[in-house]
Every structure is written in C-alpha cells, then in structure tokens.
Amino acid sequence: MTSCRAVPAPKREFSPEQALIEVTRFADAMATRRSIRSFSTDPIDMSLIEHALQIANSAPSGANLQPWQFVVVTDPATKKQIRIAAEAEEKAFYASKGSQEWLAALEPLGTDWRKPFLEDAPALIVVFEVLRSDATPQPYYVKESVGIAVGFLIVALHLAGLATLTHTPSPMRFLNEILGRPKHERPFVLLPVGRQADDAQVPDLPKKEVGEVTTWVSS
Ligand code: IYR
C-alpha cells in the first residue's frame, strides 16, 4: 500500500497559564467519575451517545485499523435477555467459579450476582474486539486499541453528564448470540449508560497516590 498524503497536524496550543487551566478543568471533571451500579430508568438524549462514539472511534489504534465494533442496545426485551444471561454467569461466578482470592478482592466493592442495571440503564453499549476474518484484515494490538477507545468513550460519556459502569460478565460470549454478532467479534466490555439513580451510592474507595504509581527518570 502506498503511504497517505500528509496534512498539517491539527494544533491545540495554549500559553502555560491556559494549559494549567485546561488540565485543571479536566481533572475537576474527572474527579466526579465513578463506576455506577444504580441507574435511573429515565430516557437520555441518544445524540450524546452518538457524539461519544465519534470520540471513541477517533482513538489511536494499531495500524489505524480501528478493530472495534460498538453495539448500542436500547430495546427493553434485548436488555432483559442480556440481564438474564449475565446473571446466570454471575451466579456461577459468585457461588463457585470465582476464586476465594478474587471474591475477597471484590468485597470492598459490595458487588453480587444481581445486575438490575442491565435493564434499568436506558442504553447498553457492548464493545467488541474485531479479530481477523475473511471480511476483516489482520488487526494489531487489539486489546491496547480497544482499551484506549473504551477509555475515550467512558470519558466522553462522563463529560456529557452520563454515568457508566465498566462491566465484564465473564464469560461474555452469550453477547454474540443475543446480539447476532459474528464469531470473529469478541465481547470486550459492556457499558450500561444513563443517569445515576437519585439515591445512587458508591463505595468510598481509596485511590493510590499518583506518586506511588509514577517513576520519573530525570537528569
Ligand atoms: N463480573 C463480576 C465480578 C467483578 C469482577 C471485577 I475484576 C470487578 O471489578 C467487579 C466485578 C461482576 O460484575 O459482579
């Protein structure tokens, strides 16, 4: 393949003062993002989801192949099917499949097999990794690419005032069947999207200090 024509890189330049204002504004916005497990059933403006998907789809990806597929589910009957299948997997996980160590790590989150948010949230976005097939090229760095796109998506939805949960029922292959997706698409994550319930609560979890997770190599 020949190389693409080059165009000037888009610019986003600020004075040092403005840069600090911009990054602080973003930090303030992100400080209120939490994983939400209790959703209002109120409808949301679906154009917000469309905008957020545009942003997710702009993420960098291996060889720019964009190995993702987003399935937005708003149909109540399909959401119910997903809930029933997910809860069946989760029952097995919490009863016996999850190791003691894993279940202990989850204890602070207060989660269990019940997943009412799969029906309550007005939209579920199921993100699939797109693997090689007759119809699709060999992708590269699929997990990295899709992970970055999902990060963009979660941030975009949050900035639009929408709550999400990063949900990974395990295993997730039932989503192919319910959503009619081909075998070369593998479920990566399921994001319930909507408004948080008025009485939504979250666990008061500590975060590591950034110094603990950062090493500076400077002269
Ligand atoms: N999928 C299960 C268990 C679970 C696993 C992890 I790792 C979490 O961060 C949270 C939950 C569930 O959704 O309950």
Side-chain angles (χ1 to χ4, degrees), residues 37 90 93-94 102-103 105-106 109 111-115 117 165-170:
R37 292 185 166 78
E90 299 291 0
F93 174 83
Y94 283 95
W102 193 344
L103 294 174
L106 291 179
L109 306 187
T111 54
D112 64 24
W113 64 268
R114 293 177 195 82
K115 306 298 172 193
F117 49 76
L165 173 66
T166 313
H167 183 45
T168 50
S170 166

Side-chain angles (χ1 to χ4, degrees), residues 15-91:
S15 66
E17 299 75 32
Q18 192 59 32
L20 208 53
I21 290 169
E22 296 286 336
V23 77
T24 307
R25 246 170 75 88
F26 186 60
D28 288 347
M30 291 309 291
T32 57
R33 188 212 58 80
R34 294 298 308 261
S35 290
I36 294 298
R37 292 185 166 78
S38 183
F39 283 81
S40 154
T41 56
D42 289 349
I44 56 171
D45 176 357
M46 289 298 158
S47 76
L48 296 178
I49 292 196
E50 284 171 23
H51 280 287
L53 290 171
Q54 295 264 10
I55 292 167
N57 191 44
S58 77
S61 62
N64 192 38
L65 289 170
Q66 300 169 267
W68 45 68
Q69 180 69 216
F70 305 103
V71 180
V72 185
V73 183
T74 59
D75 170 48
T78 309
K79 288 194 292 174
K80 190 187 190 91
Q81 262 187 300
I82 291 174
R83 177 181 179 178
I84 289 169
E87 286 186 335
E89 300 289 4
E90 299 291 0
K91 264 188 189 158

Side-chain angles (χ1 to χ4, degrees), residues 70-163:
F70 305 103
V71 180
V72 185
V73 183
T74 59
D75 170 48
T78 309
K79 288 194 292 174
K80 190 187 190 91
Q81 262 187 300
I82 291 174
R83 177 181 179 178
I84 289 169
E87 286 186 335
E89 300 289 4
E90 299 291 0
K91 264 188 189 158
F93 174 83
Y94 283 95
S96 56
K97 272 173 78 180
S99 66
Q100 284 312 310
E101 192 182 21
W102 193 344
L103 294 174
L106 291 179
E107 244 177 62
L109 306 187
T111 54
D112 64 24
W113 64 268
R114 293 177 195 82
K115 306 298 172 193
F117 49 76
L118 293 173
E119 282 190 87
D120 292 342
L124 306 178
I125 304 180
V126 186
V127 184
F128 289 84
E129 301 172 61
V130 180
L131 309 174
R132 189 196 180 107
S133 77
D134 290 345
T136 49
Q138 172 65 52
Y140 304 98
Y141 297 103
V142 177
K143 293 237 179 272
E144 292 84 347
S145 303
V146 181
I148 294 167
V150 169
F152 277 33
L153 182 57
I154 292 170
V155 171
L157 292 166
H158 177 67
L159 293 182
L162 294 169

